[in-house]
Amino acid sequence: MNRYIEEKIHTFQDKNRNRARFLIKCPDQPGIVSAVSRFLYDHGANIIESDQYTMDPIGGEFFIRIEFECDELKEKANLLEEDFHSVAEKFNMDWKITYVNEIKNMAVFVSSQPHCLLELLWEWQSGDLMANIAVVISNHETAREMVKSFGIPFYYIPANKDIRDQVEEKQKQLLQDYDIDVIALARYMQILTPSFVETYHNRIINIHHSFLPAFVGAKPYERAFERGVKMIGATSHYVTNDLDEGPIIEQDISRVDHRDNVEAMKKVGQSIERSVLARAVKWHLDDRIIVHGNKTIVF
Amino acid sequence: MNRYIEEKIHTFQDKNRNRARFLIKCPDQPGIVSAVSRFLYDHGANIIESDQYTMDPIGGEFFIRIEFECDELKEKANLLEEDFHSVAEKFNMDWKITYVNEIKNMAVFVSSQPHCLLELLWEWQSGDLMANIAVVISNHETAREMVKSFGIPFYYIPANKDIRDQVEEKQKQLLQDYDIDVIALARYMQILTPSFVETYHNRIINIHHSFLPAFVGAKPYERAFERGVKMIGATSHYVTNDLDEGPIIEQDISRVDHRDNVEAMKKVGQSIERSVLARAVKWHLDDRIIVHGNKTIVF
Amino acid sequence: MNRYIEEKIHTFQDKNRNRARFLIKCPDQPGIVSAVSRFLYDHGANIIESDQYTMDPIGGEFFIRIEFECDELKEKANLLEEDFHSVAEKFNMDWKITYVNEIKNMAVFVSSQPHCLLELLWEWQSGDLMANIAVVISNHETAREMVKSFGIPFYYIPANKDIRDQVEEKQKQLLQDYDIDVIALARYMQILTPSFVETYHNRIINIHHSFLPAFVGAKPYERAFERGVKMIGATSHYVTNDLDEGPIIEQDISRVDHRDNVEAMKKVGQSIERSVLARAVKWHLDDRIIVHGNKTIVF
Amino acid sequence: MNRYIEEKIHTFQDKNRNRARFLIKCPDQPGIVSAVSRFLYDHGANIIESDQYTMDPIGGEFFIRIEFECDELKEKANLLEEDFHSVAEKFNMDWKITYVNEIKNMAVFVSSQPHCLLELLWEWQSGDLMANIAVVISNHETAREMVKSFGIPFYYIPANKDIRDQVEEKQKQLLQDYDIDVIALARYMQILTPSFVETYHNRIINIHHSFLPAFVGAKPYERAFERGVKMIGATSHYVTNDLDEGPIIEQDISRVDHRDNVEAMKKVGQSIERSVLARAVKWHLDDRIIVHGNKTIVF
C-alpha cells in the first residue's frame, strides 16, 4: 500500500478509536430501544446515530443500527460484549458489535473490464472508501499495471468453467493469506461454486449490469437494446447460489434513447455500474446493511 | 366538452392552421434530406423543426420528422401530398403528413383506479395535452362523476374475460361513433382481443406498472416487493398481442427502500404511472413517435 | 367536504387513534434516548418509528422524532404530557407530542394559477394528504368552481399591496373562523405582513418557482431563461419576513435546454412546483419537520 | 503519451478519416436546409446526423449542426470550403467545418484538488474523451505523479493574484508550444486576465462548484450549507471576464439533507463536478456547442 493511503487510514483509525456500531435483529416487542439505550448509557457510551425499522408493529421483525462513542472502548470492548448477553437473551436478539477502527480487509475480483475496479481504487485513494484493499485477483492481465501503481498485490489466475475448482482453490488460499473479510466482484465474469459462496456468505458483493430482475444472466445490454428499453440500469447484490437472485443492495438507472446502440448503452452503463457498486461496497464497509431473507435493510 | 377547454383548443387550432408534420421512414442513402428540404422549399414551406436518425450509415433505415409552416396550408394540402409521391417513390419512403390543427379524437379506457385518467384530464384541461378527449369507457362506475364534471361522455361497460367479445363489440361501436383516432389505456385491467388490437394498430397506448421487462403480467408491485428491489418503475407502450411486449414509448422509475411495503410502493408507483402515460400520450398526439419493428423512435 | 373524503379521513383517524409523535430538540448529552425510550416503555407505549440527528456529537444540538403506539392513548394523553415534564426539564428539552388522529385544519391561498392548488386537492382526495382542507382563499375567481366541486368553501378577496392590511384582516378572520393550523401558499403572489407571518410562525408554507437562492423575487423563469440555465427548479419553504429567505423544506429541479423558451420553462416548472409543494405540505402534516435557526431538519 | 492511448486515438482517426461536421449560424429564412443539404449531396457527402434549432420562426436566428461522411474527404476539403462560400454569403452565415480526425489539443489547468482532472484523464484513457491531452499546468505539485503516470507533461507554475501577469506569460508560452486548442479549468482556483480570456475566447471551459447563478464566487459549499439548501450542484461554462457569468454548457445537482455538513457536501459535490465538467468538455470536443450571446446551443 502506498504511504499516502496508509496515512489516510491511520488518521481515520485514530479518529475512530472509540467508535463502534451495534447491529441488532429480533422479534419486535415493547422495550427494546429502552433496554439497549439504557445498556449503552450505563456503560458510558453516547449514541451518535441510530436508525431502526419494524417490519410490522404487530409481530414483525425489528432491526436497529446504533453508532456510539465510548471512552476507552478498546479496554471496555470485552466487558461490553459480555454484559450485553443478558439483554440479547431477553429479547432473543441476533446481534453484533463492530469496531470502526478495525477496518475490513477487502479483495477485488475483476475480469477484463477495469472500470468498476478503478472506481473502487479511486474512492479508496481519496479516502472515501475506508477498507484495506489487500489484493486484486483477475483472470486477465489487463489491470495489472494499474493495480500495482496503487501499491496493491495483483494475482493473475486464468479461469473458466472447466477448471473452476482448481481456480477457487488458489483464490481461497490467497483470501486466507490476506485474511479477507469482504470480496467485491467488480465485473468478474465467472460463476462461483456453492462452497465458495458459502464460505463468504453475505460477504461477496456483485455488480450486475442490468436493472434486476430484468435481464438476468448474460448479455444484458444486448437484450436491453433488443427490447427497446428507454432506461438501462445496474444492480449490486450479495452473491447467492441462484444467479443474479441474491439480496439487492443498490440499483440505479440512466436514460437511453433510440440513438443508443449496444456500444453506447455499454458506455452509459459503465458509469452506472461503477457508482452503484461503490455505494454498495461502502455501505457494507460501514456496517449499514442487514440481510433478512432475500432482502436487505440498508440503514 | 366544457367551454373553457373548447376555447383553448380553438386558439391552438387557429395558431397552427398553417403548421404540418412530415414523418418519413426509408432505407438510408445520400440525398434524402436534400430532396425533402428542396421539395418543401419549392412549395413555399419553411422548416421549423427537424429531427432525423439513421440506424446504420451503411444500409440502415433512415427516419425523419419535420415540422413546417406553409402559407395557405389548407388550400395546398392536396397538392403537397400529390406532388410528394414522386419523391417518395424515388427513395422508397413510408411517409405521412399530419396537420397540426386537425387534433386527434381520443378515448380513455379505465378500470377502478382513476389516477392515470385524472392526470390525462388535468393536462388536457390545462391545455398541455392537445386532443379531443371524446369519450371515457370503464368497467367500473368509479370515475363517472369526475369525468362528467369535465363535460366528457362516460360509458360503463362491465367486462371480464368470459364476455370479452360482447364487451368489445360495444366498445368498438362507441369508438366508431366518436371517430376515435387513439386509445389510452389508463390502467384498464382487461386484455384486448387480437382483432381489437389489429383495428387500432399502434394507436393503443398502455401503461404497465413496472419497469418492463421486469415483472411482466399481474401484480408487479407485489412481486417487486418480494424481490426486494430498490427502485420501482412504470412503462408506457403500444399494445400488441403479446402481453406487455409491445414497443416501449417511455419509462421512468422512483426510489423505494426497505420501509416501503406493497401499499407504499403502489402510492409511489401511481405518481410515476401517471407522468409516464401522460408523456407517451402527448408524444403520440404530437406525432413524435415512429414505430419500427418492436421499437419506437421518439423525436 | 364531500362524503368520499370524509370517509377516508374517518378511517384514517380510527386506525390511528392510539398513535402519537414525539418531537424533541435539546442540547446533546448522554442518556437522552435512554430516558425517552424508558419513559415510553414505562407508560406502555411501543416505538414504531424513530429518527434522530445530532448536529455535533460534542456540544451540538440533538433532535429526535419518535412515532409510538399506546393503548388508550386518548385517556392517557394528559398523564403522558404531565409526566414527561420532569424528563424534559432534566435535559432542557423543547418538545411536543402530536396526536395522529387530530388531523390539522389547512387553508390554501392561491392567485390565478391553480396547478399547485389542484395538486393538493388531488392528493387530498386520494387520501395521500391527510388534512382537513377547510377553506381556499384567493385574490382571483379562477379556482372557484373547481374548489367547490371538492366541497370546500372558497372566498374571493381581491388583494394588492395598497390594501394589504384590510385584506389580511379579512383573511385572519376566516382563518380564525375555520380554526386553521397551517396555510399553504399555492402560488399566492402577494407578500404577507410581518404581523401575519408572526401569527402563523413556521406554519405558512410557500412554493417559490426557482431553485433558491437562485432567482429570489419576481419573474424567476424569465431570468432563468435570460441566464441560459440548463435546469430549472422550485423551492418550498416556511415564510419569514425576508422574501424567499425562509427555512427551505424541499427543492427539486428538471432539465431544460436551448429549445425551451420562457413559456416552455413555465410548463416544465409547474410540474416541479406542484410536486415540491405537495411533499413539503405532507411532511409538515406528518410532523416530520423541525425548524432550527434558518434551516429544517426533515425526518 | 502512453502507447495504449495512442493506439485508441489512431484507431479513432482512421475510422473517421472521412467524417466532418458543419456548424452554421444565420438569420432564419426559408431554403437554408435545402441549400446546405443540396450542397452536400452535390459534393458526394452523406448526412449522418443533423440537428437544428430556430430561436423564433419569424425573424429569429437559425442554428444547425450536420455530421457527414464524404469519400476522400482530405482531398476534397479545400474544395468543399471554397465552394461553400457562395451558399454562406447568400444566407449571411457564420460557419465552420471541422474534421473529426483532426483531434483537438487540450491543456488542463488544476490547483490542489485533482478529482476533476482525474475524471478527464480516465475518460481519456478509456477512449471516451477524444482529445490530445497535451499538457497539465498546475499551481500545486499535488497531481504531478498522477499526470506523469499517464505519460503527460506536467508543469508546476506557482500562482497568486500578485504575479498574475508573469504566471500567464509562462502559461501562454506553454499553450503555444503545445499548440493548444482548448483549455479545461479542472478546479483551477485562479482568475484569468481579460487578455488571456480573449486569446482563448469560447475555448476555456470552467467548472464552478455550485448551481449557478446561486452562489457565484468563493466558498459555494459553505454558503449552500449556511442557506440550508436541499440540493447542491455544479455548473460548467465558458470563461468570460465576468466571474461565473459565462455561457453555461451543463449543470447537474444531487440531493443533500440536514445530516450533510460542509465536508459531506464537498464529497457529494465532487462527484457532480467531475461528471459535469467531463460532459461539457466532450461536447466541446465533439463540436456540439454553438455559443450565441451569453447562452449555448448544445446539439
Side-chain angles (χ1 to χ4, degrees):
Chain A
M1 204 186 320
N2 64 47
R3 267 257 308 283
Y4 176 72
I5 300 169
E6 231 165 75
E7 264 171 47
K8 287 225 170 190
I9 291 178
H10 286 325
T11 308
F12 175 86
Q13 287 179 312
D14 197 51
K15 199 178 139 196
N16 289 282
R17 67 185 186 285
N18 288 327
R19 181 74 67 113
R21 296 163 188 148
F22 241 126
L23 289 172
I24 300 170
K25 175 159 103 172
C26 65
D28 197 14
Q29 70 176 89
I32 303 174
V33 178
S34 173
V36 176
S37 53
R38 176 65 185 265
F39 172 86
L40 286 170
Y41 181 61
D42 287 348
H43 286 75
N46 194 17
I47 296 175
I48 302 302
E49 207 183 308
S50 171
D51 211 347
Q52 65 182 78
Y53 163 62
T54 302
M55 293 188 72
D56 186 341
I58 300 146
E61 198 78 5
F62 173 85
F63 306 85
I64 194 165
R65 177 190 185 274
I66 297 174
E67 196 156 323
F68 62 91
E69 282 272 342
C70 185
D71 278 355
E72 296 175 11
L73 180 61
K74 207 173 172 142
E75 291 73 18
K76 287 182 182 171
N78 280 338
L79 184 69
L80 267 177
E81 305 212 12
E82 262 170 48
D83 285 4
F84 194 69
H85 274 102
S86 61
V87 180
E89 239 163 70
K90 185 177 165 202
F91 291 95
N92 200 14
M93 289 172 172
D94 185 358
W95 66 283
K96 68 173 170 183
I97 298 179
T98 63
Y99 301 91
V100 178
N101 82 332
E102 295 175 4
I103 68 167
K104 296 181 179 64
N105 293 324
M106 184 159 92
V108 184
F109 283 33
V110 67
S111 288
S112 63
Q113 295 191 47
H115 56 282
C116 287
L117 166 64
L118 280 167
E119 183 73 14
L120 296 178
L121 294 176
W122 272 36
E123 298 246 12
W124 180 63
Q125 185 174 52
S126 68
D128 293 338
L129 186 154
M130 201 41 75
N132 172 29
I133 302 189
V135 61
V136 172
I137 298 174
S138 180
N139 57 338
H140 288 79
E141 285 281 13
T142 327
R144 179 183 292 275
E145 245 180 291
M146 177 183 308
V147 169
K148 296 188 79 170
S149 79
F150 283 87
I152 300 169
F154 175 92
Y155 292 88
Y156 168 57
I157 306 179
N160 64 57
K161 64 178 166 46
D162 300 327
I163 55 169
R164 194 158 286 161
D165 288 338
Q166 301 100 290
V167 169
E168 288 194 355
E169 274 319 299
K170 289 184 205 164
Q171 292 172 337
K172 278 184 185 170
Q173 188 57 53
L174 284 170
L175 297 175
Q176 274 185 13
D177 293 351
Y178 286 99
D179 194 18
I180 293 304
D181 298 303
V182 53
I183 301 166
L185 304 185
R187 299 292 308 268
Y188 180 66
M189 313 302 283
Q190 300 288 321
I191 289 171
L192 303 171
T193 66
S195 138
F196 192 103
V197 170
E198 186 50 43
T199 311
Y200 292 91
H201 182 60
N202 286 343
R203 294 188 292 154
I204 310 173
I205 299 172
N206 186 41
I207 180 75
H208 182 73
H209 40 316
S210 85
F211 186 85
L212 289 175
F215 309 122
V216 166
K219 297 200 172 298
Y221 291 123
E222 282 78 357
R223 289 149 66 205
F225 176 75
E226 275 313 306
R227 181 61 187 90
V229 296
K230 299 299 185 185
M231 291 176 149
I232 55 169
T235 303
S236 193
H237 62 93
Y238 287 113
V239 174
T240 62
N241 290 318
D242 298 311
L243 184 65
D244 301 330
E245 298 283 357
I248 292 173
I249 303 168
E250 172 63 337
Q251 307 189 282
D252 212 343
I253 57 90
S254 195
R255 285 203 171 268
V256 292
D257 71 20
H258 57 268
R259 285 185 172 81
D260 294 298
N261 59 16
V262 174
E263 270 323 294
M265 284 188 175
K266 283 181 182 174
K267 293 243 181 237
V268 172
Q270 285 188 356
S271 161
I272 316 170
E273 292 165 29
R274 62 191 221 187
S275 62
V276 167
L277 178 62
R279 283 204 292 275
V281 166
K282 286 192 280 188
W283 292 339
H284 180 95
L285 295 172
D286 289 352
D287 305 305
R288 296 198 168 279
I289 312 174
I290 299 179
V291 178
H292 182 68
N294 202 41
K295 298 187 190 179
T296 61
I297 286 97
V298 180
F299 282 131
Chain B
M1 204 185 319
N2 64 47
R3 269 256 307 282
Y4 176 73
I5 300 169
E6 230 165 76
E7 264 172 48
K8 287 226 169 189
I9 290 179
H10 285 325
T11 309
F12 176 86
Q13 287 179 314
D14 197 52
K15 199 178 140 197
N16 288 283
R17 66 185 186 285
N18 288 328
R19 182 74 67 112
R21 297 163 188 147
F22 241 128
L23 289 172
I24 300 170
K25 173 160 106 173
C26 65
D28 197 13
Q29 70 176 89
I32 304 173
V33 178
S34 173
V36 177
S37 53
R38 177 65 184 264
F39 172 86
L40 286 170
Y41 181 63
D42 288 348
H43 286 75
N46 193 17
I47 297 175
I48 301 302
E49 206 184 308
S50 171
D51 210 348
Q52 65 181 78
Y53 163 62
T54 304
M55 291 188 72
D56 185 343
I58 299 144
E61 198 78 6
F62 173 86
F63 306 86
I64 193 165
R65 176 188 185 275
I66 297 175
E67 196 156 322
F68 62 91
E69 282 273 341
C70 184
D71 278 354
E72 296 174 9
L73 180 60
K74 206 174 172 142
E75 292 72 19
K76 287 182 181 172
N78 280 338
L79 184 69
L80 266 176
E81 304 212 13
E82 262 171 47
D83 285 4
F84 194 68
H85 274 102
S86 62
V87 180
E89 240 164 68
K90 187 179 164 200
F91 292 95
N92 200 15
M93 288 171 173
D94 185 359
W95 67 282
K96 67 173 171 183
I97 298 179
T98 63
Y99 301 90
V100 177
N101 81 334
E102 295 175 3
I103 67 166
K104 295 180 181 64
N105 294 324
M106 184 158 93
V108 184
F109 282 34
V110 67
S111 288
S112 62
Q113 294 190 47
H115 57 282
C116 287
L117 166 64
L118 279 168
E119 183 73 15
L120 297 177
L121 294 176
W122 272 35
E123 298 248 9
W124 180 63
Q125 185 174 52
S126 68
D128 294 338
L129 186 153
M130 203 38 77
N132 172 28
I133 301 189
V135 61
V136 173
I137 297 173
S138 180
N139 57 339
H140 288 79
E141 284 282 14
T142 327
R144 179 182 292 275
E145 245 180 292
M146 177 182 311
V147 170
K148 296 188 79 170
S149 79
F150 283 88
I152 300 169
F154 175 92
Y155 292 88
Y156 168 56
I157 306 179
N160 63 58
K161 63 180 166 47
D162 300 327
I163 54 169
R164 194 159 286 158
D165 288 338
Q166 301 99 291
V167 169
E168 288 193 355
E169 273 320 299
K170 289 183 204 165
Q171 292 172 338
K172 278 183 183 170
Q173 189 57 53
L174 284 169
L175 297 175
Q176 274 186 13
D177 293 351
Y178 287 99
D179 195 18
I180 293 304
D181 298 301
V182 55
I183 301 166
L185 304 185
R187 298 293 309 268
Y188 181 66
M189 313 302 283
Q190 299 288 321
I191 290 171
L192 304 170
T193 67
S195 138
F196 192 103
V197 171
E198 186 49 45
T199 310
Y200 292 91
H201 183 60
N202 287 343
R203 294 188 291 153
I204 309 173
I205 300 172
N206 187 40
I207 180 73
H208 182 72
H209 39 315
S210 84
F211 186 85
L212 290 174
F215 310 121
V216 166
K219 298 201 172 296
Y221 292 123
E222 282 80 354
R223 287 148 68 205
F225 175 76
E226 275 313 306
R227 181 62 188 90
V229 297
K230 299 299 185 184
M231 290 176 150
I232 55 170
T235 304
S236 193
H237 62 93
Y238 287 114
V239 174
T240 63
N241 291 319
D242 299 310
L243 183 64
D244 302 329
E245 297 283 356
I248 292 172
I249 303 169
E250 172 64 335
Q251 306 188 283
D252 211 342
I253 57 90
S254 195
R255 285 203 171 267
V256 290
D257 71 20
H258 58 268
R259 284 186 174 80
D260 294 298
N261 58 18
V262 173
E263 269 323 294
M265 284 189 175
K266 283 181 182 173
K267 291 244 181 237
V268 172
Q270 285 188 356
S271 161
I272 317 170
E273 293 165 28
R274 62 190 221 187
S275 62
V276 166
L277 177 63
R279 284 203 292 275
V281 166
K282 285 192 279 188
W283 292 340
H284 180 95
L285 295 172
D286 289 351
D287 305 304
R288 298 201 166 276
I289 311 174
I290 299 179
V291 177
H292 182 67
N294 202 42
K295 297 187 190 179
T296 61
I297 286 97
V298 181
F299 281 130
Chain C
M1 203 187 319
N2 64 46
R3 267 257 307 283
Y4 176 72
I5 300 169
E6 231 166 76
E7 265 172 46
K8 286 225 171 191
I9 290 179
H10 286 325
T11 309
F12 176 86
Q13 287 179 313
D14 197 52
K15 199 178 140 196
N16 288 283
R17 68 185 185 286
N18 288 327
R19 182 75 67 114
R21 297 162 187 149
F22 241 127
L23 289 172
I24 300 170
K25 174 160 103 172
C26 65
D28 198 13
Q29 69 176 87
I32 304 173
V33 178
S34 173
V36 177
S37 54
R38 176 66 184 264
F39 173 85
L40 287 170
Y41 180 62
D42 287 348
H43 287 74
N46 194 17
I47 296 175
I48 301 303
E49 207 184 308
S50 170
D51 211 348
Q52 66 182 80
Y53 163 61
T54 303
M55 292 188 72
D56 186 342
I58 299 145
E61 197 78 6
F62 173 85
F63 307 85
I64 194 164
R65 178 190 184 274
I66 297 174
E67 195 157 324
F68 62 91
E69 283 273 343
C70 185
D71 278 355
E72 297 176 9
L73 180 61
K74 206 173 173 140
E75 291 73 20
K76 286 183 183 171
N78 280 338
L79 184 69
L80 267 175
E81 304 213 12
E82 262 170 48
D83 285 4
F84 194 68
H85 273 103
S86 61
V87 180
E89 239 163 71
K90 186 177 165 201
F91 292 96
N92 200 15
M93 289 172 171
D94 185 359
W95 66 283
K96 68 174 170 182
I97 298 179
T98 63
Y99 300 90
V100 177
N101 82 332
E102 295 174 4
I103 68 166
K104 295 181 180 65
N105 293 325
M106 183 159 94
V108 184
F109 282 33
V110 67
S111 288
S112 62
Q113 293 191 47
H115 56 282
C116 288
L117 166 64
L118 280 167
E119 183 73 16
L120 296 177
L121 293 176
W122 273 36
E123 297 247 11
W124 180 62
Q125 185 174 52
S126 68
D128 293 338
L129 185 153
M130 202 40 76
N132 171 29
I133 301 190
V135 61
V136 172
I137 298 173
S138 179
N139 56 339
H140 288 79
E141 285 281 13
T142 327
R144 179 183 291 275
E145 245 182 291
M146 178 183 308
V147 170
K148 295 189 78 171
S149 79
F150 283 88
I152 299 169
F154 175 91
Y155 293 88
Y156 168 56
I157 306 179
N160 64 59
K161 64 178 164 49
D162 299 327
I163 54 169
R164 195 159 286 160
D165 288 337
Q166 300 100 292
V167 169
E168 289 194 355
E169 274 320 299
K170 289 183 204 162
Q171 293 172 337
K172 278 183 184 171
Q173 189 57 53
L174 284 169
L175 298 175
Q176 274 185 13
D177 293 351
Y178 286 100
D179 194 17
I180 293 304
D181 299 303
V182 55
I183 301 166
L185 304 185
R187 297 293 308 268
Y188 180 66
M189 313 303 281
Q190 299 288 321
I191 289 171
L192 303 172
T193 66
S195 138
F196 192 104
V197 170
E198 185 50 43
T199 311
Y200 292 91
H201 182 60
N202 285 342
R203 293 188 293 154
I204 309 173
I205 300 172
N206 186 42
I207 179 75
H208 182 72
H209 38 316
S210 85
F211 186 84
L212 289 176
F215 309 122
V216 167
K219 298 202 171 296
Y221 291 124
E222 282 79 355
R223 289 148 67 205
F225 175 75
E226 275 313 307
R227 181 61 188 90
V229 296
K230 299 299 185 186
M231 290 177 150
I232 55 169
T235 304
S236 193
H237 62 93
Y238 286 113
V239 174
T240 62
N241 290 319
D242 299 310
L243 184 64
D244 301 332
E245 297 283 358
I248 293 173
I249 303 168
E250 171 64 336
Q251 306 189 281
D252 211 344
I253 57 91
S254 195
R255 284 202 172 268
V256 292
D257 71 20
H258 57 268
R259 284 184 174 83
D260 294 298
N261 59 17
V262 174
E263 269 323 294
M265 284 189 175
K266 283 181 182 175
K267 292 244 182 237
V268 172
Q270 286 188 355
S271 160
I272 316 170
E273 292 164 30
R274 62 190 222 188
S275 63
V276 167
L277 178 62
R279 284 204 292 276
V281 166
K282 285 192 280 187
W283 292 339
H284 179 95
L285 295 173
D286 289 352
D287 305 305
R288 296 198 168 278
I289 311 175
I290 299 178
V291 177
H292 183 66
N294 202 41
K295 298 187 189 179
T296 61
I297 286 97
V298 181
F299 281 130
Chain D
M1 204 186 319
N2 64 46
R3 268 256 309 281
Y4 177 72
I5 300 169
E6 232 165 76
E7 264 173 47
K8 287 225 170 190
I9 290 178
H10 286 325
T11 309
F12 175 86
Q13 286 178 314
D14 197 52
K15 199 179 141 195
N16 288 283
R17 66 186 186 286
N18 287 328
R19 181 75 66 114
R21 296 162 188 148
F22 242 127
L23 288 172
I24 300 170
K25 174 159 105 173
C26 66
D28 197 14
Q29 69 175 90
I32 304 173
V33 177
S34 174
V36 176
S37 54
R38 177 64 185 265
F39 172 86
L40 287 169
Y41 181 62
D42 287 348
H43 286 76
N46 193 18
I47 297 174
I48 301 301
E49 206 184 308
S50 172
D51 210 348
Q52 65 182 80
Y53 163 63
T54 303
M55 292 189 72
D56 185 343
I58 299 144
E61 198 77 7
F62 173 85
F63 307 85
I64 194 165
R65 177 190 184 274
I66 297 174
E67 195 156 323
F68 62 91
E69 283 273 341
C70 184
D71 278 354
E72 298 176 10
L73 179 60
K74 205 173 174 143
E75 292 73 18
K76 287 182 182 172
N78 280 339
L79 184 69
L80 266 175
E81 304 211 13
E82 262 170 48
D83 286 4
F84 194 68
H85 273 102
S86 61
V87 180
E89 239 163 70
K90 186 177 164 201
F91 291 95
N92 200 14
M93 289 172 172
D94 185 0
W95 67 283
K96 67 173 171 184
I97 299 179
T98 63
Y99 300 91
V100 178
N101 81 334
E102 295 174 5
I103 68 165
K104 296 181 180 63
N105 293 324
M106 184 159 92
V108 184
F109 283 32
V110 68
S111 290
S112 62
Q113 295 191 46
H115 56 282
C116 287
L117 166 64
L118 280 167
E119 183 73 15
L120 296 177
L121 294 176
W122 272 35
E123 298 248 9
W124 180 62
Q125 185 175 50
S126 68
D128 294 338
L129 186 153
M130 202 41 76
N132 171 28
I133 301 189
V135 60
V136 172
I137 297 173
S138 180
N139 56 339
H140 288 80
E141 285 281 14
T142 328
R144 180 184 290 274
E145 244 182 291
M146 178 183 309
V147 169
K148 297 189 78 169
S149 80
F150 283 88
I152 299 169
F154 175 91
Y155 293 88
Y156 168 56
I157 305 180
N160 63 58
K161 63 179 166 48
D162 299 327
I163 54 170
R164 194 159 285 158
D165 288 339
Q166 301 99 291
V167 169
E168 288 194 355
E169 274 319 300
K170 290 184 202 162
Q171 292 172 337
K172 277 183 184 170
Q173 190 56 54
L174 284 169
L175 298 175
Q176 274 186 13
D177 293 351
Y178 286 99
D179 195 17
I180 293 305
D181 299 302
V182 54
I183 301 166
L185 304 186
R187 297 294 308 268
Y188 180 66
M189 312 302 283
Q190 300 288 321
I191 288 171
L192 303 172
T193 67
S195 139
F196 191 102
V197 170
E198 185 50 43
T199 312
Y200 292 91
H201 183 60
N202 286 343
R203 293 187 292 153
I204 310 174
I205 299 172
N206 186 40
I207 179 74
H208 181 73
H209 39 316
S210 84
F211 186 84
L212 289 175
F215 310 121
V216 167
K219 298 200 171 299
Y221 291 124
E222 282 79 355
R223 288 149 67 205
F225 175 75
E226 275 312 308
R227 182 61 188 92
V229 297
K230 299 299 185 185
M231 290 176 149
I232 55 170
T235 304
S236 193
H237 62 93
Y238 286 114
V239 174
T240 62
N241 291 318
D242 299 310
L243 184 65
D244 301 331
E245 297 283 356
I248 293 173
I249 303 169
E250 172 65 334
Q251 306 188 284
D252 212 343
I253 56 91
S254 196
R255 285 203 170 266
V256 291
D257 70 21
H258 58 268
R259 286 187 172 79
D260 294 298
N261 59 17
V262 174
E263 269 323 294
M265 284 188 174
K266 283 182 181 173
K267 292 243 181 238
V268 172
Q270 286 188 356
S271 161
I272 317 170
E273 293 165 30
R274 61 192 223 187
S275 62
V276 167
L277 177 63
R279 284 203 291 276
V281 166
K282 286 192 279 187
W283 292 340
H284 180 95
L285 295 172
D286 289 352
D287 304 304
R288 295 199 169 278
I289 311 174
I290 299 179
V291 178
H292 181 66
N294 202 42
K295 297 188 191 179
T296 61
I297 286 96
V298 181
F299 281 130

